[in-house]
Amino acid sequence: MSSHDDLRAIALSEFARAGYGATSLQRIAEVAGLSKSSVLYHFASKEALLEAGISPALDRMEVILDSIEGAPLNDQTRRAFITDFVDFLLAYRLEVHLFINQARSLEDVPVIDRANLIVVRLASYFHSNVDSPVDRLRFGIALGGAAYVLATEENFGPETEPLADIRPALITVLTELLAPVPVRPAAIQELI
Amino acid sequence: MSSHDDLRAIALSEFARAGYGATSLQRIAEVAGLSKSSVLYHFASKEALLEAGISPALDRMEVILDSIEGAPLNDQTRRAFITDFVDFLLAYRLEVHLFINQARSLEDVPVIDRANLIVVRLASYFHSNVDSPVDRLRFGIALGGAAYVLATEENFGPETEPLADIRPALITVLTELLAPVPVRPAAIQELI
DNA sequence: ACAGTTTCTGACCGATCGGTCAGTTAACAG
DNA sequence: CTGTTAACTGACCGATCGGTCAGAAACTGT
Protein backbone atom coordinates (compact mmCIF):
# COMPACT_ATOMS: atom_id res chain seq x y z
CA MET A 1 0.00 0.00 0.00
CA SER A 2 2.66 2.47 -1.02
CA SER A 3 1.91 6.08 -1.83
CA HIS A 4 3.19 5.36 -5.30
CA ASP A 5 0.51 2.76 -6.06
CA ASP A 6 -2.15 4.83 -4.32
CA LEU A 7 -1.36 7.80 -6.50
CA ARG A 8 -1.48 5.65 -9.60
CA ALA A 9 -4.94 4.36 -8.71
CA ILE A 10 -6.23 7.79 -7.70
CA ALA A 11 -4.94 9.44 -10.86
CA LEU A 12 -6.44 6.72 -13.04
CA SER A 13 -9.80 7.10 -11.34
CA GLU A 14 -9.80 10.88 -11.63
CA PHE A 15 -8.58 10.88 -15.22
CA ALA A 16 -11.34 8.42 -16.17
CA ARG A 17 -14.04 10.31 -14.28
CA ALA A 18 -13.30 13.92 -15.15
CA GLY A 19 -10.91 13.65 -18.06
CA TYR A 20 -7.16 14.10 -18.26
CA GLY A 21 -7.12 17.80 -19.03
CA ALA A 22 -9.80 18.57 -16.48
CA THR A 23 -7.96 16.78 -13.66
CA SER A 24 -5.32 18.91 -11.93
CA LEU A 25 -2.38 17.67 -9.96
CA GLN A 26 -3.82 19.64 -7.08
CA ARG A 27 -7.00 17.55 -7.25
CA ILE A 28 -5.05 14.29 -7.25
CA ALA A 29 -2.99 15.53 -4.32
CA GLU A 30 -6.11 16.42 -2.34
CA VAL A 31 -7.70 13.01 -2.88
CA ALA A 32 -4.46 11.34 -1.84
CA GLY A 33 -4.11 13.58 1.21
CA LEU A 34 -0.79 14.91 -0.01
CA SER A 35 0.58 18.13 -1.39
CA LYS A 36 1.04 18.72 -5.10
CA SER A 37 4.78 18.68 -4.56
CA SER A 38 4.61 15.20 -3.08
CA VAL A 39 2.71 13.92 -6.09
CA LEU A 40 5.48 15.24 -8.32
CA TYR A 41 8.02 13.58 -6.05
CA HIS A 42 6.58 10.15 -6.83
CA PHE A 43 5.86 10.84 -10.52
CA ALA A 44 7.97 13.08 -12.68
CA SER A 45 5.00 14.67 -14.43
CA LYS A 46 1.28 14.52 -14.98
CA GLU A 47 1.91 12.54 -18.13
CA ALA A 48 3.92 9.98 -16.16
CA LEU A 49 0.85 9.45 -13.98
CA LEU A 50 -1.24 8.81 -17.07
CA GLU A 51 1.25 6.32 -18.43
CA ALA A 52 1.54 4.47 -15.14
CA GLY A 53 -2.25 4.38 -14.94
CA ILE A 54 -3.05 2.68 -18.22
CA SER A 55 0.12 0.81 -19.09
CA PRO A 56 -0.89 -2.42 -17.32
CA ALA A 57 -4.04 -2.57 -19.44
CA LEU A 58 -2.01 -2.07 -22.62
CA ASP A 59 0.36 -4.81 -21.55
CA ARG A 60 -2.53 -7.22 -21.17
CA MET A 61 -4.16 -6.26 -24.46
CA GLU A 62 -0.88 -6.69 -26.32
CA VAL A 63 -0.59 -10.22 -24.95
CA ILE A 64 -4.08 -10.96 -26.24
CA LEU A 65 -3.20 -9.55 -29.64
CA ASP A 66 0.00 -11.58 -29.80
CA SER A 67 -2.04 -14.69 -29.15
CA ILE A 68 -4.52 -14.15 -31.98
CA GLU A 69 -2.48 -12.54 -34.73
CA GLY A 70 -0.62 -15.76 -35.49
CA ALA A 71 -3.78 -17.82 -36.01
CA PRO A 72 -6.80 -17.47 -38.32
CA LEU A 73 -10.26 -16.68 -36.99
CA ASN A 74 -11.97 -20.00 -36.41
CA ASP A 75 -14.33 -21.33 -33.75
CA GLN A 76 -11.59 -22.06 -31.28
CA THR A 77 -9.63 -18.81 -31.61
CA ARG A 78 -12.86 -16.79 -31.65
CA ARG A 79 -14.01 -18.40 -28.45
CA ALA A 80 -10.66 -17.82 -26.78
CA PHE A 81 -10.53 -14.22 -27.92
CA ILE A 82 -14.03 -13.43 -26.72
CA THR A 83 -13.41 -14.69 -23.21
CA ASP A 84 -10.04 -12.91 -23.12
CA PHE A 85 -11.61 -9.70 -24.38
CA VAL A 86 -14.53 -9.81 -21.96
CA ASP A 87 -12.25 -10.51 -19.03
CA PHE A 88 -10.02 -7.69 -20.18
CA LEU A 89 -12.93 -5.26 -20.31
CA LEU A 90 -14.11 -6.31 -16.86
CA ALA A 91 -10.62 -6.08 -15.36
CA TYR A 92 -9.69 -2.74 -16.91
CA ARG A 93 -12.93 -0.78 -17.04
CA LEU A 94 -11.37 2.46 -15.88
CA GLU A 95 -8.48 2.19 -18.30
CA VAL A 96 -10.81 1.45 -21.21
CA HIS A 97 -13.07 4.30 -20.22
CA LEU A 98 -10.12 6.65 -20.01
CA PHE A 99 -8.86 5.60 -23.40
CA ILE A 100 -12.24 5.83 -25.11
CA ASN A 101 -12.89 9.29 -23.73
CA GLN A 102 -9.44 10.83 -24.08
CA ALA A 103 -7.80 9.14 -27.05
CA ARG A 104 -8.59 11.92 -29.49
CA SER A 105 -7.49 14.81 -27.33
CA LEU A 106 -4.17 13.20 -26.32
CA GLU A 107 -2.94 11.96 -29.66
CA ASP A 108 0.59 13.20 -29.14
CA VAL A 109 1.07 11.42 -25.82
CA PRO A 110 3.25 8.32 -26.33
CA VAL A 111 1.20 6.00 -24.16
CA ILE A 112 -1.98 7.00 -26.01
CA ASP A 113 -0.27 6.39 -29.32
CA ARG A 114 0.57 2.94 -28.03
CA ALA A 115 -3.09 2.38 -27.15
CA ASN A 116 -4.21 3.61 -30.56
CA LEU A 117 -1.81 1.17 -32.16
CA ILE A 118 -3.53 -1.63 -30.26
CA VAL A 119 -6.88 -0.59 -31.72
CA VAL A 120 -5.35 -0.53 -35.19
CA ARG A 121 -3.92 -4.01 -34.68
CA LEU A 122 -7.28 -5.29 -33.51
CA ALA A 123 -9.10 -3.73 -36.45
CA SER A 124 -6.49 -5.03 -38.89
CA TYR A 125 -6.83 -8.57 -37.58
CA PHE A 126 -10.58 -8.67 -38.08
CA HIS A 127 -10.29 -6.75 -41.32
CA SER A 128 -8.02 -9.43 -42.75
CA ASN A 129 -10.22 -12.27 -41.47
CA VAL A 130 -13.66 -10.96 -42.42
CA ASP A 131 -14.63 -10.40 -46.04
CA SER A 132 -18.04 -8.74 -45.93
CA PRO A 133 -18.00 -4.98 -45.28
CA VAL A 134 -21.28 -5.31 -43.41
CA ASP A 135 -19.79 -8.00 -41.17
CA ARG A 136 -16.77 -5.83 -40.51
CA LEU A 137 -19.10 -3.03 -39.48
CA ARG A 138 -21.00 -5.40 -37.22
CA PHE A 139 -17.77 -6.62 -35.64
CA GLY A 140 -16.65 -3.06 -35.05
CA ILE A 141 -19.96 -2.18 -33.43
CA ALA A 142 -19.79 -5.31 -31.28
CA LEU A 143 -16.27 -4.71 -29.97
CA GLY A 144 -16.60 -0.93 -29.72
CA GLY A 145 -20.05 -1.19 -28.22
CA ALA A 146 -18.98 -3.73 -25.64
CA ALA A 147 -16.06 -1.53 -24.62
CA TYR A 148 -18.24 1.57 -24.54
CA VAL A 149 -21.05 -0.01 -22.55
CA LEU A 150 -18.67 -1.65 -20.10
CA ALA A 151 -16.78 1.57 -19.55
CA THR A 152 -19.90 3.68 -19.04
CA GLU A 153 -22.27 1.47 -17.14
CA GLU A 154 -24.17 4.49 -15.85
CA ASN A 155 -25.75 4.72 -19.27
CA PHE A 156 -28.08 1.95 -18.21
CA GLY A 157 -29.50 4.26 -15.63
CA PRO A 158 -29.25 3.93 -11.85
CA GLU A 159 -32.65 2.27 -11.61
CA THR A 160 -31.56 -0.87 -13.42
CA GLU A 161 -29.76 -3.67 -11.69
CA PRO A 162 -26.05 -3.63 -12.56
CA LEU A 163 -26.48 -6.85 -14.53
CA ALA A 164 -24.72 -8.92 -11.91
CA ASP A 165 -23.93 -11.83 -14.18
CA ILE A 166 -22.62 -9.56 -16.87
CA ARG A 167 -19.70 -11.80 -17.80
CA PRO A 168 -21.73 -14.70 -19.25
CA ALA A 169 -24.17 -12.21 -20.78
CA LEU A 170 -21.33 -10.38 -22.50
CA ILE A 171 -19.85 -13.65 -23.76
CA THR A 172 -23.24 -14.65 -25.11
CA VAL A 173 -23.80 -11.38 -26.92
CA LEU A 174 -20.29 -11.18 -28.36
CA THR A 175 -20.46 -14.80 -29.50
CA GLU A 176 -23.63 -13.98 -31.38
CA LEU A 177 -22.29 -10.77 -32.87
CA LEU A 178 -18.95 -12.27 -33.91
CA ALA A 179 -20.57 -15.34 -35.46
CA PRO A 180 -18.76 -16.41 -38.65
CA VAL A 181 -22.01 -16.54 -40.60
CA PRO A 182 -24.32 -13.79 -39.41
CA VAL A 183 -27.98 -14.58 -39.40
CA ARG A 184 -29.55 -12.12 -41.77
CA PRO A 185 -33.09 -13.01 -42.83
CA ALA A 186 -34.05 -12.17 -46.38
CA ALA A 187 -36.77 -9.93 -45.00
CA ILE A 188 -34.14 -7.53 -43.73
CA GLN A 189 -32.67 -7.07 -47.17
CA GLU A 190 -36.01 -5.87 -48.44
CA LEU A 191 -36.26 -3.20 -45.77
CA ILE A 192 -33.33 -1.19 -46.98
CA MET B 1 -22.27 32.91 -43.67
CA SER B 2 -22.26 35.02 -40.54
CA SER B 3 -19.41 35.01 -38.09
CA HIS B 4 -21.85 33.68 -35.54
CA ASP B 5 -22.55 30.46 -37.44
CA ASP B 6 -18.91 30.10 -38.41
CA LEU B 7 -17.86 30.27 -34.79
CA ARG B 8 -20.49 27.72 -33.83
CA ALA B 9 -19.20 25.28 -36.42
CA ILE B 10 -15.54 25.89 -35.58
CA ALA B 11 -16.13 25.49 -31.87
CA LEU B 12 -18.08 22.27 -32.39
CA SER B 13 -15.31 20.85 -34.54
CA GLU B 14 -12.57 21.80 -32.11
CA PHE B 15 -14.49 20.59 -29.07
CA ALA B 16 -15.11 17.25 -30.77
CA ARG B 17 -11.53 16.87 -31.95
CA ALA B 18 -9.52 17.98 -28.95
CA GLY B 19 -12.08 17.96 -26.13
CA TYR B 20 -13.92 20.81 -24.45
CA GLY B 21 -11.42 21.47 -21.68
CA ALA B 22 -8.45 21.20 -24.02
CA THR B 23 -9.89 23.72 -26.49
CA SER B 24 -9.16 27.34 -25.58
CA LEU B 25 -11.09 30.37 -26.75
CA GLN B 26 -7.80 31.56 -28.18
CA ARG B 27 -7.64 28.45 -30.38
CA ILE B 28 -11.17 28.96 -31.65
CA ALA B 29 -10.39 32.61 -32.36
CA GLU B 30 -7.28 31.69 -34.34
CA VAL B 31 -9.13 29.17 -36.50
CA ALA B 32 -11.86 31.72 -37.15
CA GLY B 33 -9.33 34.44 -37.91
CA LEU B 34 -10.63 36.62 -35.11
CA SER B 35 -9.46 37.77 -31.74
CA LYS B 36 -10.54 36.11 -28.53
CA SER B 37 -12.50 39.24 -27.67
CA SER B 38 -14.51 38.94 -30.87
CA VAL B 39 -15.43 35.36 -30.07
CA LEU B 40 -16.77 36.51 -26.72
CA TYR B 41 -18.68 39.27 -28.49
CA HIS B 42 -20.70 36.71 -30.44
CA PHE B 43 -21.04 34.23 -27.59
CA ALA B 44 -21.30 35.19 -23.96
CA SER B 45 -19.02 32.40 -22.75
CA LYS B 46 -17.23 29.22 -23.72
CA GLU B 47 -20.16 27.25 -22.36
CA ALA B 48 -22.53 29.18 -24.63
CA LEU B 49 -20.45 28.00 -27.59
CA LEU B 50 -20.82 24.42 -26.42
CA GLU B 51 -24.56 24.75 -26.04
CA ALA B 52 -24.98 26.37 -29.44
CA GLY B 53 -22.84 23.62 -30.94
CA ILE B 54 -24.78 20.56 -29.82
CA SER B 55 -28.30 21.88 -29.19
CA PRO B 56 -29.54 21.21 -32.73
CA ALA B 57 -28.59 17.54 -32.36
CA LEU B 58 -30.44 17.33 -29.06
CA ASP B 59 -33.49 18.94 -30.63
CA ARG B 60 -33.53 16.27 -33.33
CA MET B 61 -33.01 13.39 -30.91
CA GLU B 62 -35.81 14.63 -28.68
CA VAL B 63 -38.17 14.62 -31.64
CA ILE B 64 -37.19 11.02 -32.35
CA LEU B 65 -37.78 10.09 -28.73
CA ASP B 66 -41.17 11.78 -28.70
CA SER B 67 -42.14 9.72 -31.73
CA ILE B 68 -41.30 6.34 -30.18
CA GLU B 69 -42.19 6.75 -26.51
CA GLY B 70 -45.90 6.73 -27.25
CA ALA B 71 -45.86 3.46 -29.17
CA PRO B 72 -44.69 -0.07 -28.31
CA LEU B 73 -41.68 -1.66 -29.99
CA ASN B 74 -43.02 -3.58 -32.98
CA ASP B 75 -41.79 -4.18 -36.50
CA GLN B 76 -43.04 -0.86 -37.79
CA THR B 77 -41.81 1.37 -34.98
CA ARG B 78 -38.49 -0.48 -34.86
CA ARG B 79 -37.94 0.06 -38.55
CA ALA B 80 -38.82 3.75 -38.27
CA PHE B 81 -36.57 4.24 -35.26
CA ILE B 82 -33.59 2.54 -36.87
CA THR B 83 -33.68 4.73 -39.96
CA ASP B 84 -34.23 7.82 -37.82
CA PHE B 85 -31.36 6.85 -35.54
CA VAL B 86 -28.96 6.05 -38.38
CA ASP B 87 -29.77 9.28 -40.16
CA PHE B 88 -29.31 11.11 -36.87
CA LEU B 89 -25.88 9.56 -36.34
CA LEU B 90 -24.82 10.41 -39.89
CA ALA B 91 -26.11 13.98 -39.68
CA TYR B 92 -24.67 14.75 -36.24
CA ARG B 93 -21.40 12.81 -36.10
CA LEU B 94 -19.45 15.64 -34.52
CA GLU B 95 -22.12 16.30 -31.92
CA VAL B 96 -22.35 12.61 -31.03
CA HIS B 97 -18.59 12.33 -30.82
CA LEU B 98 -18.43 15.37 -28.60
CA PHE B 99 -21.10 14.00 -26.28
CA ILE B 100 -19.60 10.51 -26.08
CA ASN B 101 -16.17 11.85 -25.25
CA GLN B 102 -17.07 14.68 -22.91
CA ALA B 103 -20.28 13.67 -21.16
CA ARG B 104 -18.58 12.47 -18.01
CA SER B 105 -16.30 15.44 -17.51
CA LEU B 106 -19.05 18.03 -18.05
CA GLU B 107 -21.82 16.63 -15.93
CA ASP B 108 -22.71 19.96 -14.37
CA VAL B 109 -23.16 21.76 -17.70
CA PRO B 110 -26.91 22.17 -18.40
CA VAL B 111 -26.73 21.22 -22.07
CA ILE B 112 -24.82 18.04 -21.21
CA ASP B 113 -27.37 17.18 -18.56
CA ARG B 114 -29.99 17.56 -21.26
CA ALA B 115 -28.04 15.16 -23.49
CA ASN B 116 -27.65 12.67 -20.65
CA LEU B 117 -31.40 12.80 -20.10
CA ILE B 118 -31.88 11.80 -23.72
CA VAL B 119 -29.69 8.73 -23.19
CA VAL B 120 -31.70 7.85 -20.10
CA ARG B 121 -34.97 8.20 -22.03
CA LEU B 122 -33.62 5.98 -24.79
CA ALA B 123 -32.42 3.34 -22.35
CA SER B 124 -35.72 3.48 -20.44
CA TYR B 125 -37.74 2.95 -23.60
CA PHE B 126 -35.86 -0.18 -24.55
CA HIS B 127 -35.71 -1.33 -20.97
CA SER B 128 -39.50 -1.23 -20.75
CA ASN B 129 -39.93 -2.98 -24.10
CA VAL B 130 -37.33 -5.72 -23.79
CA ASP B 131 -37.61 -8.42 -21.16
CA SER B 132 -34.40 -10.42 -21.43
CA PRO B 133 -31.35 -8.90 -19.68
CA VAL B 134 -29.13 -10.37 -22.38
CA ASP B 135 -31.22 -8.73 -25.07
CA ARG B 136 -31.07 -5.42 -23.25
CA LEU B 137 -27.30 -5.73 -23.14
CA ARG B 138 -27.24 -6.53 -26.84
CA PHE B 139 -29.43 -3.53 -27.61
CA GLY B 140 -27.19 -1.28 -25.55
CA ILE B 141 -24.10 -2.56 -27.33
CA ALA B 142 -25.82 -2.08 -30.70
CA LEU B 143 -26.89 1.52 -30.09
CA GLY B 144 -23.79 2.54 -28.15
CA GLY B 145 -21.51 0.75 -30.58
CA ALA B 146 -23.16 2.33 -33.61
CA ALA B 147 -22.81 5.78 -32.06
CA TYR B 148 -19.21 5.10 -31.03
CA VAL B 149 -18.13 3.69 -34.38
CA LEU B 150 -19.86 6.44 -36.34
CA ALA B 151 -18.33 9.13 -34.16
CA THR B 152 -14.80 7.71 -34.37
CA GLU B 153 -14.45 6.44 -37.90
CA GLU B 154 -10.68 6.60 -37.65
CA ASN B 155 -10.84 3.40 -35.62
CA PHE B 156 -11.28 1.53 -38.88
CA GLY B 157 -7.83 2.64 -39.85
CA PRO B 158 -6.86 4.92 -42.71
CA GLU B 159 -6.15 2.03 -45.05
CA THR B 160 -9.76 0.89 -45.19
CA GLU B 161 -12.28 2.47 -47.47
CA PRO B 162 -14.59 4.76 -45.50
CA LEU B 163 -17.47 2.34 -46.12
CA ALA B 164 -19.09 4.60 -48.68
CA ASP B 165 -22.51 2.99 -48.47
CA ILE B 166 -22.47 3.06 -44.71
CA ARG B 167 -26.11 4.03 -44.35
CA PRO B 168 -27.64 0.80 -45.71
CA ALA B 169 -24.93 -1.21 -43.95
CA LEU B 170 -25.74 0.44 -40.64
CA ILE B 171 -29.46 -0.14 -41.15
CA THR B 172 -28.77 -3.78 -41.93
CA VAL B 173 -26.63 -4.32 -38.85
CA LEU B 174 -28.94 -2.46 -36.48
CA THR B 175 -31.95 -4.31 -37.85
CA GLU B 176 -30.19 -7.58 -37.07
CA LEU B 177 -29.07 -6.50 -33.64
CA LEU B 178 -32.43 -5.06 -32.60
CA ALA B 179 -34.34 -8.09 -33.81
CA PRO B 180 -37.30 -8.90 -31.53
CA VAL B 181 -36.27 -12.55 -31.22
CA PRO B 182 -32.50 -12.81 -31.27
CA VAL B 183 -31.03 -15.81 -32.96
CA ARG B 184 -29.08 -17.62 -30.32
CA PRO B 185 -28.13 -21.18 -31.25
CA ALA B 186 -28.16 -23.71 -28.48
CA ALA B 187 -24.48 -24.30 -29.17
CA ILE B 188 -23.69 -20.85 -27.81
CA GLN B 189 -25.33 -21.62 -24.49
CA GLU B 190 -23.00 -24.54 -23.99
CA LEU B 191 -19.94 -22.38 -24.47
CA ILE B 192 -20.49 -20.25 -21.40
C1' DA C 1 -20.70 64.21 -44.78
C1' DC C 2 -22.84 62.71 -40.70
C1' DA C 3 -24.74 59.88 -36.85
C1' DG C 4 -25.81 55.41 -35.24
C1' DT C 5 -25.11 50.73 -34.82
C1' DT C 6 -22.64 46.47 -35.35
C1' DT C 7 -18.35 44.31 -35.26
C1' DC C 8 -13.97 43.88 -33.62
C1' DT C 9 -9.63 44.55 -30.84
C1' DG C 10 -5.68 45.12 -27.32
C1' DA C 11 -4.87 45.68 -22.70
C1' DC C 12 -5.80 43.92 -18.62
C1' DC C 13 -7.76 41.04 -14.60
C1' DG C 14 -7.74 37.21 -11.09
C1' DA C 15 -7.31 32.41 -11.06
C1' DT C 16 -5.26 28.19 -12.05
C1' DC C 17 -2.26 25.38 -14.54
C1' DG C 18 2.16 22.09 -14.55
C1' DG C 19 6.50 22.20 -12.79
C1' DT C 20 11.00 23.63 -9.94
C1' DC C 21 13.60 24.04 -5.85
C1' DA C 22 15.44 24.72 -1.29
C1' DG C 23 14.63 23.02 2.79
C1' DT C 24 11.90 20.46 6.56
C1' DT C 25 10.16 16.18 8.58
C1' DA C 26 10.10 11.14 9.25
C1' DA C 27 12.16 6.62 9.18
C1' DC C 28 15.69 3.84 9.98
C1' DA C 29 20.48 1.68 10.40
C1' DG C 30 24.77 2.03 13.05
C1' DC D 1 22.34 9.71 19.74
C1' DT D 2 23.99 10.30 14.93
C1' DG D 3 24.22 10.06 9.92
C1' DT D 4 21.74 8.90 5.86
C1' DT D 5 18.15 8.46 3.06
C1' DA D 6 13.37 8.68 1.65
C1' DA D 7 9.17 11.30 1.98
C1' DC D 8 7.16 15.44 2.04
C1' DT D 9 6.13 20.55 1.89
C1' DG D 10 5.52 25.74 0.97
C1' DA D 11 6.97 29.26 -1.83
C1' DC D 12 7.57 30.49 -6.16
C1' DC D 13 7.86 30.54 -11.46
C1' DG D 14 6.20 31.51 -16.29
C1' DA D 15 2.38 30.42 -19.00
C1' DT D 16 -2.27 30.09 -20.02
C1' DC D 17 -6.94 30.07 -18.82
C1' DG D 18 -11.93 32.39 -19.25
C1' DG D 19 -13.68 36.75 -19.00
C1' DT D 20 -14.15 42.25 -18.72
C1' DC D 21 -13.90 46.72 -20.61
C1' DA D 22 -13.04 50.99 -23.07
C1' DG D 23 -12.56 52.28 -27.37
C1' DA D 24 -11.19 51.78 -32.41
C1' DA D 25 -12.81 50.32 -36.95
C1' DA D 26 -16.25 49.17 -40.25
C1' DC D 27 -20.64 49.28 -42.02
C1' DT D 28 -25.38 51.35 -42.21
C1' DG D 29 -29.11 54.55 -43.59
C1' DT D 30 -30.05 59.46 -44.25
Side-chain angles (χ1 to χ4, degrees), chain B residues 7-25:
Chain B
L7 284 172
R8 194 201 77 94
I10 290 171
L12 174 61
S13 171
E14 291 299 312
F15 289 158
R17 186 183 59 82
Y20 179 77
T23 301
S24 65
L25 291 174

Side-chain angles (χ1 to χ4, degrees), chain B residues 3-4 7 24-46 49:
Chain B
S3 292
H4 192 90
L7 284 172
S24 65
L25 291 174
Q26 180 64 36
R27 164 72 184 171
I28 295 171
E30 284 170 2
V31 175
L34 292 175
S35 70
K36 188 180 64 169
S37 302
S38 293
V39 174
L40 287 168
Y41 165 77
H42 288 284
F43 291 89
S45 67
K46 188 182 180 183
L49 269 168

Side-chain angles (χ1 to χ4, degrees), chain B residues 129-170:
Chain B
N129 279 279
V130 179
D131 290 333
S132 160
V134 171
D135 285 349
R136 285 204 287 266
L137 176 62
R138 182 164 49 91
F139 282 28
I141 289 176
L143 299 182
Y148 177 70
V149 168
L150 250 291
T152 63
E153 75 277 20
E154 84 282 358
N155 281 349
F156 280 168
E159 76 278 7
T160 69
E161 75 283 7
L163 200 47
D165 52 351
I166 194 170
R167 185 178 180 275
L170 261 177

Side-chain angles (χ1 to χ4, degrees), chain A residues 17-18 79 97 100-101 104-105 123 127 137-138 140 145 148-149 154 160-161 171-172 176 184 191-192, chain B residues 17-18 79 97 100-101 104-105 127 136 138 140-141 145 149 154-155 160 170-172 176 184 191-192:
Chain A
R17 187 182 60 82
R79 176 181 173 182
H97 185 226
I100 285 181
N101 284 12
R104 288 293 290 269
S105 54
H127 187 87
L137 176 62
R138 181 164 50 91
Y148 178 69
V149 167
E154 83 284 358
T160 68
E161 74 282 9
I171 292 178
T172 299
E176 289 175 13
R184 192 172 304 141
L191 286 176
I192 57 180
Chain B
R17 186 183 59 82
R79 176 181 172 182
H97 184 226
I100 284 181
N101 283 12
R104 286 293 291 269
S105 53
H127 188 87
R136 285 204 287 266
R138 182 164 49 91
I141 289 176
V149 168
E154 84 282 358
N155 281 349
T160 69
L170 261 177
I171 292 178
T172 299
E176 290 175 14
R184 194 171 305 140
L191 287 176
I192 58 181

Side-chain angles (χ1 to χ4, degrees), chain A residues 7-181:
Chain A
L7 284 173
R8 195 201 76 96
I10 290 171
L12 174 62
S13 171
E14 292 298 314
F15 289 158
R17 187 182 60 82
Y20 179 76
T23 300
S24 65
L25 291 173
Q26 180 63 36
R27 164 71 184 171
I28 295 172
E30 284 171 2
V31 175
L34 292 175
S35 69
K36 187 179 64 169
S37 302
S38 293
V39 174
L40 287 168
Y41 166 77
H42 288 284
F43 292 88
S45 67
K46 189 182 179 182
E47 204 173 296
L49 269 167
L50 176 66
E51 177 173 348
I54 68 175
S55 278
L58 305 189
D59 294 341
R60 173 62 189 142
M61 200 60 211
E62 282 170 348
V63 169
I64 295 177
L65 277 169
D66 290 340
S67 74
I68 66 171
E69 282 177 337
L73 187 64
N74 55 37
D75 282 353
Q76 182 183 355
T77 56
R78 180 183 301 106
R79 176 181 173 182
F81 168 75
I82 287 174
T83 57
D84 283 348
F85 187 66
V86 167
D87 287 336
F88 167 80
L89 291 180
L90 291 170
Y92 297 101
R93 292 166 78 126
L94 281 179
E95 291 86 342
V96 171
H97 185 226
L98 174 57
F99 169 73
I100 285 181
N101 284 12
Q102 308 292 322
R104 288 293 290 269
S105 54
L106 299 174
E107 277 177 341
D108 52 350
V109 178
V111 73
I112 298 297
D113 284 342
R114 186 181 154 212
N116 279 320
L117 182 61
I118 287 176
V119 176
V120 170
R121 284 176 66 186
L122 195 57
S124 297
Y125 176 76
F126 281 99
H127 187 87
S128 62
N129 279 279
V130 179
D131 291 332
S132 160
V134 171
D135 285 349
R136 284 204 288 266
L137 176 62
R138 181 164 50 91
F139 282 29
I141 289 176
L143 299 182
Y148 178 69
V149 167
L150 250 292
T152 62
E153 77 277 19
E154 83 284 358
N155 281 349
F156 280 168
E159 74 278 6
T160 68
E161 74 282 9
L163 200 48
D165 52 352
I166 194 169
R167 186 178 180 276
L170 261 176
I171 292 178
T172 299
V173 172
L174 282 187
T175 303
E176 289 175 13
L177 269 50
L178 299 188
V181 178

